[in-house]
Amino acid sequence: MKKGFVFTLDAIIAFVLAIIVLGALAEIRADESGGNNRILKLQQTSLDVLNTLDKDGTLNNLFEQTDEDATTTLETTLNELLQAKLKGRIKIDTYQYETGGTCTTCTLSGSTPTNNFCHCRSFNTPLIAKSPAASSKRVFYYSNNKPTVGIATIQVWQE
Amino acid sequence: MRGIFITASVALWLSLLLSLAVLQTEDASRQVEVKNLLATEKIAYTWNDVSEELPDVLDVKIEINEKKASFKDNLPATANFPEALGAFETFIKNHYAPKKLQFSFEPQPSSTPPRIHINPLGFYYKYPSWDKTSLEVNSSMQNFAFLQSLTVNLNITSHDFNEAFSGLCAGGDWDSYTTCTGGTTYCLSLNLNIEDRQGTTYQSTCTPLDLDYENIIVIDLINETSTTQLTLRFGALSNRLFSLERPQTTVNSTLELNFNTTAFEAELDLNLIVKDAETNRLKNGKTTP
């Protein structure tokens, strides 16, 4: 009887352990899936914000503003577009086409063009992104007199 | 009895191992699925983003609103468009696109500018040459039936009118004008407004036009240094709805084509191909501004 009791106990323990391990695995998987969904939602929000900024002309208007004014514009617009619990940071970089081999006015990344483009401006809104954050980019074309192009990079995260 | 319990215990552990193996396999296949999904989304988003910027490169604004397609343009070209398009392509490849994405235009824009196609109605807004000294709107004549009216607004920024307008059509302001009759196949309702540098306006009351005939209005222009003419033609030549020739003048033009349907879209006659090198997924299509 004693031996039988030990074996029964062994089987019960094995069963309980199996249930615990399976439960833990299921929980981890649920967490991972929830985390992925959150990031995907943030990603979609970040794309929507950039799309809106491009379509309503905000991005192109930045070329006419000083870095300081442009940053304020972006900060205000970002706060209007994002839901209350979301925060964001936008970085703008602008480049000008240069075939002469030397950057004269746009020398942010040195005086040698990279693939025929000189880096003109770079500024960003002040908040620092918290992990996990979703990130997206959008290109916007300003002028074809001397081709000038910008890249907006956004990070969105939950407070 | 002992054997039964040992068997049960081993079976439990084996089933646990089996479950783990199944979960692991599921995870691996889900990861591939997510990777493909993300690649597809990235391709689609990047394709749309680049595609939407192309009209800016060509310095033309295209708007579709219900039954109306409007084109805001600046003539002549103020830039070297093939160079601008090439520069934009270079920028996309080297500064913007994720490293794994490959970009190309097809055909490579070279001798002739890409047309803007109103699809599926078969109308084309196009420039005969990259310098934009003239523009045309063409379509097979049977497609003219889709068009309810055409509005042409021209703002001449370099010259003034060098003629007085009589308000008369045939034999008056128009060099050639034929109105619609019972036998007209395609009849165009036209709103034509032209403003010169000083803000003087000419609004044509000559409408409708019989498109079976060539209707021409030539406007004499003058400024401090030159005299020139602006020529507008409607109909007659095979497939021509409208053309504008403007040697030596600067014109901001707005064309509004009002159709009898909302089922159309504008697309640039230029294929943009975006391909993910890792997953071999791609999007290849005419760019839709």
Side-chain angles (χ1 to χ4, degrees):
Chain A
M1 277 303 276
K2 272 188 181 175
K3 265 186 192 171
F5 176 73
V6 169
F7 286 129
T8 308
L9 195 62
D10 181 43
I12 289 169
I13 289 169
F15 182 72
V16 169
L17 277 174
I19 294 293
I20 288 170
V21 172
L22 281 175
L25 278 174
E27 188 63 28
I28 289 165
R29 282 167 60 81
D31 266 4
E32 273 176 9
S33 165
N36 283 343
N37 286 341
R38 268 195 298 278
I39 283 289
L40 283 175
K41 275 182 188 167
L42 289 175
Q43 183 80 26
Q44 194 53 54
T45 304
S46 69
L47 293 176
D48 287 347
V49 170
L50 286 183
N51 202 13
T52 306
L53 290 175
D54 195 12
K55 293 270 166 67
D56 72 3
T58 304
L59 292 179
N60 266 7
N61 289 340
L62 299 177
F63 283 100
E64 315 286 342
Q65 300 176 359
T66 62
D67 287 3
E68 199 178 327
D69 289 347
T71 306
T72 310
T73 303
L74 286 174
E75 219 178 340
T76 311
T77 317
L78 203 53
N79 287 336
E80 283 168 7
L81 291 175
L82 289 176
Q83 292 167 11
K85 286 181 180 173
L86 298 183
K87 295 287 176 193
R89 169 191 170 93
I90 296 185
K91 182 169 180 277
I92 302 289
D93 289 283
T94 68
Y95 301 82
Q96 197 170 57
Y97 188 56
E98 180 58 66
T99 48
T102 310
C103 302
T104 49
T105 49
C106 298
T107 54
L108 212 58
S109 299
S111 58
T112 310
T114 310
N115 296 304
N116 290 121
F117 275 89
C118 298
H119 198 175
C120 296
R121 298 168 67 187
S122 183
F123 53 90
N124 54 266
T125 54
L127 289 179
I128 304 293
K130 285 182 185 169
S131 186
S135 177
S136 303
K137 282 202 293 189
R138 192 168 179 97
V139 68
F140 54 106
Y141 192 88
Y142 176 63
S143 153
N144 55 18
N145 208 4
K146 191 161 191 178
T148 308
V149 192
I151 294 178
T153 311
I154 188 172
Q155 288 173 292
V156 176
W157 65 94
Q158 197 152 13
E159 266 292 277
Chain B
M1 279 301 276
R2 188 201 302 182
I4 291 170
F5 288 120
I6 290 173
T7 306
S9 172
V10 168
L12 276 170
W13 282 110
L14 281 179
S15 65
L16 176 63
L17 282 174
L18 190 66
S19 304
L20 276 172
V22 169
L23 289 177
Q24 201 60 34
T25 314
E26 265 180 19
D27 264 356
S29 76
R30 190 175 146 79
Q31 267 173 20
V32 172
E33 209 174 282
V34 168
K35 193 175 178 182
N36 286 339
L37 185 72
L38 287 175
T40 307
E41 275 190 5
K42 190 159 273 184
I43 289 168
Y45 174 78
T46 312
W47 190 95
N48 286 337
D49 186 10
V50 174
S51 159
E52 283 171 12
E53 298 304 313
L54 284 175
D56 285 344
V57 182
L58 297 173
D59 198 19
V60 57
K61 297 240 177 300
I62 305 161
E63 280 179 28
I64 305 289
N65 188 1
E66 304 257 309
K67 295 179 177 178
K68 188 167 71 183
S70 58
F71 301 86
K72 286 185 185 171
D73 215 329
N74 302 304
L75 312 174
T78 53
N80 180 338
F81 285 118
E83 185 187 39
L85 209 52
F88 186 59
E89 192 179 353
T90 304
F91 183 82
I92 294 297
K93 283 178 178 169
N94 298 299
H95 294 266
Y96 170 68
K99 284 196 176 69
K100 289 169 193 163
L101 290 191
Q102 297 168 346
F103 272 84
S104 58
F105 288 118
E106 213 172 68
Q108 276 290 317
S110 52
S111 55
T112 52
R115 302 173 300 175
I116 298 162
H117 182 200
I118 308 285
N119 190 23
L121 306 183
F123 284 77
Y124 289 92
Y125 180 99
K126 62 176 220 174
Y127 316 102
S129 60
W130 281 108
D131 57 11
K132 280 194 185 180
T133 51
S134 58
L135 73 82
E136 294 173 8
V137 179
N138 291 345
S139 176
S140 298
M141 286 192 85
Q142 69 266 21
N143 295 332
F144 289 170
F146 292 122
L147 194 64
Q148 287 187 318
S149 67
L150 171 68
T151 298
V152 179
N153 293 320
L154 303 176
N155 186 6
I156 301 162
T157 55
S158 61
H159 288 75
D160 300 321
F161 293 132
N162 193 22
E163 64 177 277
F165 298 104
S166 64
L168 296 172
C169 300
D173 300 330
W174 286 66
D175 296 66
S176 174
Y177 172 79
T178 308
T179 193
C180 301
T181 60
T184 301
T185 319
Y186 299 107
C187 188
L188 176 68
S189 171
L190 173 72
N191 301 301
L192 172 64
N193 305 292
I194 307 176
E195 184 177 332
D196 73 2
R197 191 177 53 168
Q198 290 187 12
T200 309
T201 55
Y202 166 69
Q203 188 169 6
S204 173
T205 53
C206 304
T207 186
L209 308 180
D210 185 340
L211 294 178
D212 297 343
Y213 298 87
E214 187 175 43
N215 297 271
I216 309 171
I217 180 167
V218 180
I219 310 282
D220 294 328
L221 299 169
I222 190 167
N223 70 4
E224 292 74 11
T225 55
S226 67
T227 58
T228 185
Q229 290 179 321
L230 188 74
T231 307
L232 312 179
R233 296 171 201 269
F234 301 86
L237 194 69
S238 64
N239 298 340
R240 178 177 63 202
L241 172 69
F242 166 71
S243 74
L244 184 160
E245 290 152 36
R246 44 121 326 271
Q248 300 161 343
T249 54
T250 309
V251 180
N252 300 330
S253 68
T254 305
L255 259 67
E256 290 176 4
L257 288 87
N258 294 286
F259 294 105
N260 59 8
T261 173
T262 55
F264 63 88
E265 61 176 6
E267 59 184 27
L268 209 57
D269 218 359
L270 181 70
N271 274 38
L272 172 64
I273 303 160
V274 180
K275 183 179 176 186
D276 181 73
E278 198 176 0
T279 60
N280 268 336
R281 284 166 184 254
L282 64 86
K283 180 165 182 180
N284 177 2
K286 293 195 189 304
T287 53
T288 46

